[in-house]
Amino acid sequence: MTEVGTELPPVTFTITRADLVRYCGASGDFNIIHWNERTAKAVGLPDVIAHGMYTMALAGRVVSQWAGDPAAVESYTVRFSRPVVVPDDDAGATLQVSGLVEELREDGRAVVALTATVAGNKVLMAARAVVRLP
Amino acid sequence: MPLNREFIGREYPASTSYEVGREHVRRFAEAIGDTSPASLDLEAALALGHPDVVAPPTFLTVLNFRFAAEGPIADPALGLDYALVVHGEQSFELHRPVCAGDVLSSVQTVTDIKDAGRNELIVTTTEVSDAAGEPVATLRSSLVSRGTAAPRPDRQEAS
């Protein structure tokens, strides 16, 4: 039974350079800062960074998995509060995502608040999804 | 160089429709590691009552890149250096699920360009509709142009 305060099963994601290249191809976002360290550093970033949209998509999986159907997600909003730096090694970056039902609406929708962190730092702020409950 | 504020309010209707492909939905889902059967397996999608496989909630981001060359971001007159861009905010309002086979029209509008400290923000809204003209989704995107705000005399500039 879903109620306010229900926790969604947390998920830990590993993000490597290969994941970013794959996301470049699938999304069409080939911004060079997501795959080229030389350019990323030249424009003042610490290293290659993940697409914000990739981080958003991973966090969104926690919601659609919980809902059981991606079509149940009716609204999804995030603010990107800090970049996810992805080093050129096998470990990559570790993203931890958890979710909490913040509100149950009379129209059968749940508002889920998502928390996404890398090394304890929030990489998404005000991340909310509205989910139609079965 | 600050961004050209004359772009505020400009509308960019996509020059052609965008057909959501079943294999593209699969490829996008696989790229984000989404194993939802409704996105990967037609039978599973049909069993859930969908007309075809369902795109993940953030799938429509592909529209902004599909039509990037004809949109405001790529217009040299805007003055945006894409290497300086990071994503600030993003929202998706899905008025109905996006499924393979959908033939989508979209219009991107520059809703705002403004300073945020030393950075600038460019905010766009994309309205997406289907072949029948029914609304499908509304996307709002805020991009950060790092360090391009015009210097202000009332602010101490770091050297």
Side-chain angles (χ1 to χ4, degrees):
Chain A
M1 179 66 193
T2 299
E3 48 194 40
V4 172
T6 294
E7 292 181 13
L8 281 59
V11 182
T12 299
F13 301 96
T14 298
I15 304 174
T16 66
R17 291 283 180 88
D19 295 318
L20 302 188
V21 171
R22 199 172 295 117
Y23 187 77
C24 283
S27 66
D29 182 354
F30 290 92
N31 189 334
I32 195 164
I33 60 172
H34 302 310
W35 53 271
N36 185 303
E37 190 170 320
R38 181 167 47 87
T39 302
K41 288 182 172 169
V43 296
L45 296 168
D47 203 333
V48 161
I49 63 169
H51 307 72
M53 289 306 304
Y54 182 61
T55 304
M56 183 179 188
L58 293 180
R61 273 173 55 191
V62 173
V63 179
S64 36
Q65 209 164 344
W66 174 72
D69 183 353
V73 180
E74 295 184 332
S75 157
Y76 183 24
T77 301
V78 307
R79 261 199 350 252
F80 302 99
S81 47
R82 65 167 65 209
V84 175
V85 177
V86 180
D88 184 17
D89 59 26
D90 295 334
T94 303
L95 171 73
Q96 294 184 300
V97 181
S98 59
L100 186 74
V101 175
E102 192 177 61
E103 182 188 344
L104 283 179
R105 294 189 183 160
E106 288 186 358
D107 61 4
R109 268 70 172 168
V111 181
V112 174
L114 288 163
T115 303
T117 59
V118 172
N121 296 312
K122 285 189 181 183
V123 295
L124 300 179
M125 301 286 282
R128 297 284 184 282
V130 176
V131 183
R132 194 180 61 252
L133 297 174
Chain B
M1 269 288 285
L3 301 176
N4 182 351
R5 311 276 159 131
E6 287 175 13
F7 275 66
I8 297 170
R10 289 192 187 170
E11 293 190 2
Y12 297 80
S15 60
T16 181
S17 56
Y18 181 94
E19 182 166 357
V20 179
R22 201 177 280 165
E23 290 300 332
H24 191 186
V25 168
R26 168 192 298 282
R27 190 153 54 91
F28 190 90
E30 287 177 349
I32 65 168
D34 191 333
T35 56
S36 299
S39 297
L40 303 174
D41 176 12
L42 177 60
E43 296 302 320
L46 296 175
L48 285 165
H50 305 305
D52 208 310
V53 293
V54 179
T58 63
F59 176 81
L60 288 179
T61 188
V62 302
L63 288 177
N64 287 339
F65 299 101
R66 167 63 181 81
F67 298 110
E70 58 189 67
I73 304 301
D75 188 338
L78 175 64
L80 185 68
D81 177 354
Y82 203 52
L84 298 180
V85 169
V86 294
H87 213 142
E89 294 182 35
Q90 180 69 44
S91 81
F92 297 86
E93 298 290 336
L94 297 160
H95 311 307
R96 68 159 176 82
V98 175
C99 293
D102 278 333
V103 177
L104 304 174
S105 299
S106 58
V107 181
Q108 185 178 25
T109 303
V110 179
T111 39
D112 203 5
I113 300 175
K114 61 187 173 190
D115 288 359
R118 290 188 175 79
N119 303 326
E120 289 178 285
L121 301 179
I122 174 164
V123 185
T124 66
T125 301
T126 304
E127 294 288 353
V128 184
S129 53
D130 63 18
E134 296 295 322
V136 172
T138 304
L139 282 60
R140 286 186 191 81
S141 171
S142 167
L143 299 180
V144 181
S145 173
R146 297 167 50 242
T148 59
R152 290 198 340 222
D154 58 330
R155 197 175 56 210
Q156 195 71 32
E157 299 294 336
S159 57

